[in-house]
């Protein structure tokens, strides 16, 4: 099976990785994290979130982070925008890309935002419209695409339906996200095959969590389904609220290690990423959850 | 790509998992571990090692373990036998299968046992002969099949060469072992494709370590190459001496979770395995390294 020769890694640690940290991470550290990631060669860094600080206090300094980072030419800096107010913040901050989001699970949508999937996506229409007028890229995320903490199984058709709604709104990129990390390779293939029937695979990204240890196998299955954009988080930063103590986002180091072995180009400096993971973990005063990162750091120390 | 519909899991935690534990694990606990694993449905449990207690003090009670376990009809109890003396112990203990071992790396062989690969395999000839005469199964393990801590890359031809030597000695099963966990899916496919050209895939097993987080992706690649026997260790027991603090054997729970998602039968009771992993980790006074096991235990506790 022919795998893509090049993969785009979207580094999500500054936003998706840090948002659940209880201790506030100083703005200086966030800025340094974003700058080190862009310097390491990531073509896309999810840098901040323009959500209400009441909801996510950790992300309250998004405007400061965006103002203080060193913009690297060619790097796409993405920010999460839940609504029009968030979009205005993103626009003022000079974001290159905004991220909107909806779930493929009706139960999740009702429980979390008290409205149907269809309504939740429709609410983003003015945001997408405004972004397009401002020449800002739009990424639409489909959460719970491989399973839901409330309803369990999520039909493939529901994922395709959300993808089509995003497509109708002309978003640039669509994330298929395994929010709780329950997916396995067979299901990944089924979902990716169904979604790539309606959306150009070059516009689809895979966002896998490693909660059940499945993320790398799922990425391999997605690569075999023609997907070439993946979201990763250095040192596996980002917890999963549904499984205390379990890991969340797949670790960037583990993914880069696998891609290098598959002869797939990313343009990213692997050794620099291992350094960033160790630095960030030491700042957070805990061991990171990247197996490749920890193994290499241990070898270096030996 | 057609995957096997059934996989045989060889549970290696009582031997490969525990052998590097510094604190001596009481014989009672080892016996309980083996008995719980066989009761959970594993068709093959690597139960003990008949090596010199000077070399591996943790395994000094192998004869006691074998004498006290409850033999489950149909379960294969394997033991490691480095030489004729070990074989005599295995025979007296009523082992169903002995495990012999050699490396695919010349540097590893020279450094560890001070002889060539060819010599190291030839030394096992009388052991294999004796086992065959006694009607005991023989498994031949090929360590460093995907990389070596001393020479780095290991040629595919070297792995095939060891497999052919084992084949000539009429061993029943051949393990392709990624001893230091450095392999990635492309290399796994290359090696498995080459080995299955000379050996029936039904006689080949994959032994993957998760040191760099690659084990599940590697197992998926091996399944796609027609391999249907895998070695796993509950709670990921078993360290890797070359990467302090890094994980070793792939966790049984993570593998079973993936296989279930792939609709592949194992005959193993998944929930019982999660229990065993939590029990054993609590005995060892540390958190196990199975992501699926920890996520499920956390969900149960919630």
């Amino acid at each position: 099976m022919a795998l893509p020769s090049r993969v785009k890694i979207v580094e999500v640690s500054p936003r998706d990785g840090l948002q659940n940290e209880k201790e506030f991470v100083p703005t200086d550290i966030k800025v340094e994290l974003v700058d080190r990631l862009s310097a390491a060669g990531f073509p896309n860094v999810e840098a901040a979130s323009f959500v209400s600080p009441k909801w996510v206090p950790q992300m309250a300094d998004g405007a400061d982070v965006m103002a203080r980072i060193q913009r690297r030419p060619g790097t796409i800096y993405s920010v999460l925008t839940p609504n029009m107010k968030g979009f205005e913040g993103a626009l003022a901050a000079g974001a290159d890309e905004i991220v909107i989001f909806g779930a493929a699970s009706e139960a999740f949508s009702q429980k979390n935002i008290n409205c149907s999937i269809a309504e939740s996506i429709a609410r983003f229409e003015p945001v997408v419209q405004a972004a397009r007028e401002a020449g800002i890229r739009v990424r639409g995320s489909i959460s719970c695409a491989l399973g839901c903490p409330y309803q369990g199984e999520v039909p493939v058709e529901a994922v395709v339906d959300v993808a089509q709604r995003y497509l109708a709104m002309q978003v640039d990129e669509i994330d298929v996200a395994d929010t709780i990390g329950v997916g396995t390779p067979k299901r990944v293939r089924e979902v990716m095959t169904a979604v790539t029937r309606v959306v150009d695979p070059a516009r689809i990204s895979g966002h896998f969590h490693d909660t059940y240890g499945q993320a790398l196998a799922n990425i391999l299955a997605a690569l075999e389904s023609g997907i070439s954009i993946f979201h990763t988080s250095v040192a596996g930063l980002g917890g999963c609220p549904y499984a205390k103590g379990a890991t969340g986002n797949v670790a960037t180091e583990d993914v880069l290690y696998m891609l290098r072995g598959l002869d797939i180009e990313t343009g990213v400096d692997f050794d620099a990423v291992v350094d960033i993971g160790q630095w960030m973990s030491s700042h957070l005063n805990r061991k990171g959850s990247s197996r490749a990162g920890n193994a290499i750091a241990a070898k270096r120390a030996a």
Side-chain angles (χ1 to χ4, degrees), chain A:
Chain A
M1 204 165 301
L3 301 182
S5 59
R6 196 174 176 89
V7 150
K8 173 172 117 174
I9 299 285
V10 181
E11 232 296 338
V12 301
S13 61
R15 202 282 303 172
D16 198 20
L18 293 182
Q19 68 174 2
N20 289 322
E21 284 297 321
K22 273 178 199 148
E23 291 275 316
F24 188 77
V25 176
T27 307
D28 281 353
I29 298 285
K30 288 173 181 153
V31 169
E32 185 174 348
L33 177 60
V34 173
D35 285 346
R36 288 180 72 158
L37 292 171
S38 63
F42 291 98
N44 192 332
V45 179
E46 199 169 284
S49 184
F50 286 86
V51 295
S52 163
K54 270 186 239 159
W55 284 62
V56 190
Q58 182 63 258
M59 294 283 108
D61 57 351
D64 278 352
V65 171
M66 290 296 285
R68 288 167 52 191
I69 55 172
Q70 289 196 293
R71 299 293 180 108
R72 198 179 159 88
T75 305
I76 297 170
Y77 296 91
S78 313
V79 307
L80 197 78
T81 55
N83 50 35
M84 208 53 178
K85 192 169 172 217
F87 172 74
E88 281 151 17
L91 182 68
D96 302 296
E97 179 177 78
I98 59 159
V99 183
I100 61 171
F101 45 94
S105 153
E106 204 59 66
F108 192 90
S109 193
Q110 290 292 350
K111 189 125 181 168
N112 276 274
I113 42 177
N114 206 27
C115 72
S116 71
I117 298 172
E119 284 168 325
S120 77
I121 306 290
R123 285 180 193 173
F124 281 111
E125 264 169 27
V127 175
V128 176
Q129 184 64 25
R132 290 184 57 75
E133 279 162 17
I136 296 175
R137 275 176 63 91
V138 179
R139 176 144 65 76
S141 182
I142 309 175
S143 65
C144 298
L146 286 144
C148 166
Y150 308 118
Q151 76 182 49
E153 208 147 299
V154 170
V156 172
E157 298 71 36
V159 184
V160 173
D161 181 72
V162 178
Q164 283 176 314
R165 287 174 194 276
Y166 282 147
L167 208 56
M169 288 157 73
Q170 297 183 280
V171 308
D172 299 278
E173 213 165 290
I174 295 174
D175 308 332
V176 174
D178 185 9
T179 313
I180 54 171
V182 293
T184 48
K186 182 167 173 270
R187 188 64 172 178
V188 169
R189 262 190 211 117
E190 288 163 0
V191 170
M192 291 306 191
T193 302
V195 175
T196 52
R197 268 196 211 109
V198 298
V199 187
D200 177 0
R203 290 168 66 185
I204 299 175
S205 59
H207 179 114
F208 295 106
H209 280 216
D210 210 18
T211 322
Y212 292 78
Q214 309 295 306
L216 259 73
N218 288 342
I219 289 174
L220 183 60
L223 286 165
E224 290 172 346
S225 309
I227 305 304
S228 60
I229 311 172
F230 295 96
H231 296 189
T232 69
S233 181
V234 70
L237 283 172
C240 172
Y242 307 103
K244 209 167 27 169
T247 51
N249 288 298
V250 66
T252 305
E253 298 92 316
D254 297 4
V255 175
L256 290 176
Y257 186 94
M258 181 173 80
L259 294 175
R260 192 171 62 173
L262 294 170
D263 295 330
I264 294 174
E265 289 288 327
T266 60
V268 175
D269 178 345
F270 180 67
D271 291 328
V273 177
V274 171
D275 289 341
I276 299 170
Q278 296 296 312
W279 162 74
M280 198 63 214
S281 300
S282 113
H283 175 79
L284 296 172
N285 203 21
R286 63 168 183 260
K287 200 175 156 187
S289 75
S290 166
R291 292 183 171 179
N294 292 338
I296 291 164
K299 255 180 88 175
R300 282 183 189 164

